Amino acid sequence: MPRIDTPIEEFRHLRPSVTEPEDFDEFWSTTLRESRSLAAPPRLTPIDSPLSSFDVYDVTFSGFGGEPVLAWLVLPAGATEPLPAVVEYVGYGGGRGLPHERLAWAASGYAHFVMDTRGQGSAWGSGGGTADPHGTGASVPGFMTRGIHDPHDYYYRRVFTDAVLAIDAVRSLEQVDASRVALCGGSQGGGITLAAAGLSEGLVAAMPDVPFLCHFEHAVGLTGSDPYQEIVRFLSVHRDAVEMTFRTLSYFDGVNFAKRATAPALFSVGLMDPVCPPSTVYAARNHYGAHADIVEYAFNEHEGGQGVQWQRQAEWLAARAAVLEERKPERMPPRVA
C-alpha cells in the first residue's frame, strides 16, 4: 500500500457515520447475561517452568455459553499482594502460544493474562488449544464469514464474549487487584480490545494496537489484503447477501464498541498499513468514548511500532497510575514516530 495521499490532519478529525443496529446494546447485554449465567470459576494449574523469575499458571475459564477457554497467567515470582493486571488478546490466526513468548508485562510488575482465541492458533506462532464447537453455514476459509448469515451465529459473537468473560475471570483471581485491569492486543487483538472495552465497566486502560475489525463497510472496499478480503470473496459468490452481511457485521464493528468505552485508551496506527487501513483505525479512535491518545508510525505497515510501541504502552500505562480516575475528556495530540 503506498503512503497515504490523504492529509494526516483529515484523519485526525475523521468521524465517519458507521451503521449501528437499534438493538445493539440489547443484543450484547443478552449475550453476556446468558453466558455469565453459565460461567464456572476459573481453574488455575501451576506450571513447572524454567522461568525462575515468574510464576506461571495454565488457566481454563468459562467463555461463550459456558464453554472452556484457555489462557496463560504469568506473574512476577513470589508476589505477595494483588497485582494490577494486563489482559492480552491475540492477532488473527494465532493462539496463546507458550508462556515464555510474552514476559514483558509480568517483568514490569503486572499480572499478565493471555487469552487463547477459540478455533485459531494454527496459522502462526506456537499454537493454541481452545476449540470452537460450533458449526457454520456457507463461508470462505478463515474466520470472517463463519456464521455471517445471522449475528447470533457469527464467529466473533463468541470471541468477544470470551474476551469479556476473561476480564470477569481475571477480576476473580486472588493474585489480581480487580480495580486495576487494563487491556491490550494488536490487529485482531486490537479489535477484541475495543469490543471488550466497550462491553466492560471499570477498566483502567485499553491499548488497541493497529486494530482490526473496524469500520467494515469502508475497510472491505478499501484494502485488497486478507482478512477483509475473505468478505470480498464471500460476496463475490453470494451476490445477493450484501445487505445481510453488513447488517451482521454492524453488531461487531469496533467503532460501535469504541463509542461505549469508558477507559482511557492508547491507540497506534501504521500510516502505510495495507491490512488495517489508517482511516479505519482513526474511525474508532475519533469516536472513542473516553480520552484517547494515538501514536502514528508514518512509514510502517501493519507491523506498526512493535517493540517501540510496547515501550510506549508501558510508559503510558505507568503514567496513568496516579490519574486513572481523572478520565480527561480532551484528546491529546498524536505523536509521530
Side-chain angles (χ1 to χ4, degrees):
M1 186 176 183
R3 193 177 183 196
I4 57 170
D5 60 2
T6 300
I8 189 59
E9 287 300 325
E10 292 187 20
F11 279 147
R12 291 171 180 166
H13 297 92
L14 181 70
R15 288 175 60 87
S17 176
V18 174
T19 301
E20 180 182 305
E22 291 183 2
D23 64 340
F24 182 91
D25 292 315
E26 180 183 356
F27 175 86
W28 281 106
S29 63
T30 300
T31 295
L32 294 176
R33 183 172 62 252
E34 290 174 349
S35 287
R36 280 173 167 148
S37 72
L38 300 170
R43 301 192 304 274
L44 275 64
T45 303
I47 298 298
D48 289 332
S49 167
L51 302 173
S52 59
S53 297
F54 303 92
D55 294 330
V56 181
Y57 296 87
D58 191 348
V59 182
T60 302
F61 70 94
S62 296
F64 175 84
E67 295 162 1
V69 180
L70 301 180
W72 294 120
L73 176 66
V74 183
L75 309 168
T80 57
E81 296 183 356
L83 299 172
V86 175
V87 178
E88 182 172 357
Y89 307 111
V90 180
Y92 193 81
R96 64 173 180 164
L98 298 171
H100 69 262
E101 295 176 305
R102 295 181 176 88
L103 296 178
W105 288 115
S108 301
Y110 296 89
H112 187 204
F113 189 92
V114 182
M115 187 187 88
D116 208 21
T117 309
R118 62 168 58 224
Q120 299 190 29
S122 298
W124 57 269
S126 300
T130 302
D132 182 30
H134 295 264
T136 179
S139 64
V140 167
F143 303 94
M144 295 301 297
T145 61
R146 291 190 179 185
I148 202 157
H149 300 83
D150 188 310
H152 292 87
D153 298 329
Y154 189 50
Y155 171 75
Y156 281 101
R157 180 179 180 231
R158 302 188 289 279
V159 173
F160 291 172
T161 301
D162 293 346
V164 174
L165 269 64
I167 298 169
D168 292 352
V170 167
R171 284 174 165 161
S172 74
L173 301 177
E174 63 181 13
Q175 297 93 336
V176 169
D177 180 346
S179 69
R180 293 187 292 166
V181 176
L183 311 180
C184 74
S187 190
Q188 174 186 254
I192 299 172
T193 294
L194 286 171
L199 294 171
S200 303
E201 296 291 338
L203 298 168
V204 298
M207 297 175 287
D209 187 17
V210 293
F212 178 47
L213 306 168
C214 297
H215 200 357
F216 284 110
E217 290 178 282
H218 183 61
V220 168
L222 181 63
T223 176
S225 299
D226 280 343
Y228 285 122
Q229 275 292 301
E230 293 176 22
I231 299 170
V232 172
R233 290 194 291 274
F234 177 83
L235 293 176
S236 73
V237 174
H238 300 281
R239 297 169 175 85
D240 58 350
V242 175
E243 182 178 354
M244 173 205 73
T245 294
F246 285 106
R247 178 181 181 276
T248 292
L249 292 173
S250 67
Y251 288 87
F252 304 91
D253 198 308
V255 176
N256 292 331
F257 293 112
K259 293 175 184 177
R260 291 161 168 80
T262 58
L266 177 65
F267 284 72
S268 75
V269 60
L271 296 186
M272 299 179 70
D273 191 338
V275 177
C276 297
S279 56
T280 67
V281 175
Y282 277 99
R285 184 263 180 162
N286 293 345
H287 275 290
Y288 196 79
H291 178 87
D293 293 328
I294 188 166
V295 182
E296 298 162 351
Y297 293 97
F299 293 94
N300 287 95
E301 297 189 4
H302 195 51
E303 79 282 0
Q306 297 178 308
V308 172
Q309 181 62 15
W310 181 86
Q311 184 166 327
R312 285 179 168 170
Q313 288 177 336
E315 292 168 352
W316 180 88
L317 186 56
R320 267 142 188 80
V323 296
L324 284 171
E325 308 222 347
E326 292 185 7
R327 310 246 181 222
K328 298 178 183 177
E330 73 276 13
R331 298 186 184 277
M332 300 294 288
R335 290 183 290 179
V336 179

